[in-house]
Amino acid sequence: MVFDLDLIRKVYASMPGKIDAARKLVGRPLTLSEKILYSHLSQPTGTAYKRGVDYVDFAPDRVAMQDATAQMALLQFMTCGRDKVAVPSTVHCDHLIQAKTGAVQDLAAALDTNKEVYDFLASISNKFGIGFWKAGAGIIHQVVLENYAFPGGMMIGTDSHTPNAGGLGMVAIGVGGADAVDVMAGLPWELKMPKLIGVKLTGKMSGWTSAKDVILWVAGQLTVKGGTGAIVEYFGEGADNISATGKGTICNMGAEIGATCSIFAYDDKMAGYLKSTGRTEVAELADGIREHLRPDADVYENPGKYYDQLLELNLDTLEPYVNGPFTPDLATPVSEMKAAVEKNGWPAKLEVALIGSCTNSSYEDISRSASIVKDAVGKGLKANSEFTITPGSELVRFTIERDGFIRQFEEVGGVVLANACGPCIGQWARHIDDPNRKNTIITSFNRNFAKRNDGLASTHAFVASPEVVTAMAIAGTISFNPLTDTLTNDKGEKVKLSEPSGFELPPKGFAVEDAGYQAPAADGKGVNVIVSPDSKRLQLLEPFAAWEGTDLKGLKLLIKAKGKCTTDHISMAGPWLKFRGHLDNISNNMLIGAINFYNEKTDTVKNQLTGEYGAVPATARAYKAAGIGSIVVGDENYGEGSSREHAAMEPRHLGVRAILVRSFARIHETNLKKQGMLGLTFADKADYDKIQEDDSIDIIGLTSFAPGKPLTVVLNHKDGSKDEISVNHTYNEQQIEWFKAGGALNVIRSQVAK
């Protein structure tokens, strides 16, 4: 089944003319990213946009939402007044399935536990014309790659790893739910024109090296915030040598460097993948405008002229990497891993090895890992760590079962989990004797912040390719280098694992009995959305209050967060996922993972009304009940990680009026703006040190709030002294209107009602 073929025809018919016009406007050859961005402008422009400076209105082709974020996004969409979504949109049930026993049992438990959420999502999708992918159908990004992504398209998705679709040449950007509401309501979607980071790839990978190692290397080069505000565009002969799903892996994990998205140019690898997944018509259409789906010739010849930053990597020389622990940009070549383990005192014993997830669960990934397992069994080896396998979709799972790979994994002691996110997002009932014991796991996932996978601060989580993870599962240690080291088999013999081999695409083709898709009603007017009034998991939304028209005075410091504060610290996943559709209940996890600067503890802050220490959410509720606003202070790259808008909605709901930090991650800053919050940055980052625990804080200058004009923050200290500091913001005129209206949704509601 080919989805949205008429839409794709329309996009391709207009692209050549739009790209020619953009080339004349800019006055030079264009990168691929620029071609797609300019061909998706909401309205034609008469001037070229400045990268990293100008805000631009775009018209994305489609929207994708996973079940955890879709709940809040669709609860918001319900209130905007439309009868149907304005662009093709889908919901994917992948986040709420907990990995505990195995695929069959875990899926059955999820269907029972999450019934009211699934019923809500199915009914609201049916009503508003949204495609619905049932629990067990697969992880959103893999399903999108298999069914919806197309070269030259533009998509937004309510998950930070939406850029996975860049593997098929699509500008695919992770956003918060309020952004999705904009697009589903038929309104322009705003984004600051991204900067461009070029990555020139030469050569070709071989042996143990895989596409995952490309992005692990890039993460080491750019760090977790090096891609902020930029699209990472891969090009060169080396890029054309990587499979479409390998390209998807690289684009997926680009979220870990803060990139807006990542992208590859259309090539024969993409064409082959489109055809193998039943989209020959799309490949033929793309072939017809191939020159417009690749950078212009001079970009290849003189890349330094066209990118704001340029990296070069020869794939012939790339070796496998292992990144971590606790951050995805600590990159160590596998040949240096043993020394790094000894130097840093990391636990060498590997307790659990996990492959799959949205990052690495393609047929190619699974087949290469299976070849290692088959080789190991044949040489008298077995897994010396717990070993789990997560297929990315039912299409992949059905096909790898048909081709015997699941049986091979089970022979070595592997456990196949449901087609869902599972341990990658903390949905994992981990079996461990002592949760406080330092221990090591390794995954082929994308994110490895503390507590991310199993909720345990003691777990040292590393990230590598599925091939390296599989080899280390057999060795039972992260100090193992499969390129050089030997293992002792059941006969006492020293044996060496053979290099992995696999199939880019299944030789017998893909197969599936029930992919898990449910089409919406042709006319949803008679469909009722199912929300129980006494539900503990779903709650209809009330609009946030508009700005009162004055400066904000007497705000109490809620918490001064120290160091890394990701969206996992602000709004944890794991067991809290069940409350993603109930704003008041999930707000009880607000900032409980953030470290309080003043006592080095989590979820323990001073209540200035009582002088006592207590939980962050309870303290915020106390201020709110007293009619007092509060403020959160943070460090660098505040809000990195997931796109979850709950990390912005929860503070808004609990009376936080502003977030003041040294710097923001892109998606989180946008989410704050959408919810009518003030997202501010220190003009002088050293002023972070002036914030005292008992401060009451004033924000001055809001009555003349304007783009580019700093505001003043007054720190009223307990001893009667004051500090005045200057703070910056990135609000434009439209975003200031969101603030004044109490949130973007209030503005949308008024526009749709006209």
Side-chain angles (χ1 to χ4, degrees), residues 154 256 318 670 687:
M154 185 179 195
E256 310 324 316
L318 181 65
T670 299
D687 286 342

Side-chain angles (χ1 to χ4, degrees), residues 128-382:
F128 292 109
I130 299 169
F132 181 71
W133 290 82
K134 295 179 287 187
I139 305 173
I140 176 173
H141 312 303
Q142 182 71 20
V143 173
V144 165
L145 198 71
E146 292 168 356
N147 295 276
Y148 298 110
F150 66 94
M154 185 179 195
M155 178 182 83
I156 63 170
T158 60
D159 189 280
S160 56
H161 295 105
T162 297
N164 190 83
L168 276 179
M170 195 173 203
V171 166
I173 301 174
V175 299
D179 280 347
V181 173
D182 280 358
V183 178
M184 291 189 294
L187 300 176
W189 174 64
E190 183 188 71
L191 178 73
K192 185 180 286 186
M193 181 61 84
K195 294 183 178 181
L196 297 178
I197 298 174
V199 181
K200 182 179 180 180
L201 301 178
T202 57
K204 188 175 184 178
M205 293 178 296
S206 62
W208 284 92
T209 307
S210 74
K212 183 63 163 280
D213 299 305
V214 175
I215 185 57
L216 294 177
W217 177 85
V218 170
Q221 298 295 307
L222 293 177
T223 77
V224 291
K225 62 178 184 177
T228 302
I231 292 178
V232 181
E233 184 168 311
Y234 294 84
F235 65 97
E237 58 162 330
D240 292 342
N241 287 328
I242 299 173
S243 68
T245 51
K247 292 176 171 74
T249 292
I250 294 168
C251 293
N252 177 295
M253 200 174 159
E256 310 324 316
I257 58 172
T260 301
C261 67
S262 302
I263 194 168
F264 283 80
Y266 179 66
D267 58 17
D268 291 343
K269 298 288 191 181
M270 292 186 194
Y273 184 75
L274 286 167
K275 292 173 184 176
S276 73
T277 50
R279 292 173 286 173
T280 299
E281 299 98 322
V282 177
E284 291 172 346
L285 287 169
D287 285 336
I289 62 163
R290 182 179 284 233
E291 66 181 286
H292 301 292
L293 301 175
R294 295 178 66 83
D296 285 339
D298 197 54
V299 175
Y300 280 107
E301 295 170 10
N302 301 288
K305 293 168 53 178
Y306 299 97
Y307 296 102
D308 299 289
Q309 185 178 351
L310 183 64
L311 301 179
E312 296 191 35
L313 174 62
N314 183 348
L315 299 179
D316 291 334
T317 65
L318 181 65
E319 72 169 289
Y321 271 76
V322 179
N323 286 27
F326 307 128
T327 186
D329 58 354
L330 181 56
T332 305
V334 72
S335 61
E336 300 173 16
M337 193 63 187
K338 183 177 181 180
V341 169
E342 293 173 354
K343 177 183 176 182
N344 293 288
W346 299 329
K349 179 185 177 183
L350 179 60
E351 304 209 1
V352 193
L354 307 97
I355 66 169
S357 86
C358 66
T359 321
N360 277 109
S361 56
S362 66
Y363 186 89
E364 180 181 32
D365 291 328
I366 299 296
S367 67
R368 282 173 61 86
S369 289
S371 78
I372 299 169
V373 166
K374 183 178 180 181
D375 177 61
V377 171
K379 291 175 177 174
L381 299 169
K382 61 180 179 62

Side-chain angles (χ1 to χ4, degrees), residues 40 173 213 253 267 290 376 406 464 472 577 592 671 709 751:
H40 283 83
I173 301 174
D213 299 305
M253 200 174 159
D267 58 17
R290 182 179 284 233
I406 288 181
M472 288 185 172
L577 283 172
I592 63 175
N671 286 346
K709 183 179 180 181
Q751 291 174 342

Side-chain angles (χ1 to χ4, degrees), residues 30-94:
L30 300 175
T31 65
L32 173 61
S33 301
E34 289 173 316
K35 290 182 178 183
I36 299 174
L37 292 171
Y38 275 98
S39 65
H40 283 83
L41 296 176
S42 178
Q43 295 292 333
T45 181
T47 58
Y49 292 110
K50 295 179 182 178
R51 298 179 194 163
V53 176
D54 293 334
Y55 283 92
V56 184
D57 285 341
F58 291 102
D61 299 312
R62 66 174 306 107
V63 173
M65 297 166 281
Q66 40 95 334
D67 51 355
T69 51
Q71 294 173 62
M72 197 58 69
L74 292 176
L75 284 165
Q76 292 177 85
F77 181 77
M78 281 179 67
T79 71
C80 80
R82 284 195 65 100
D83 294 330
K84 189 175 183 179
V85 291
V87 301
S89 304
T90 51
V91 167
H92 304 258
C93 295
D94 62 356

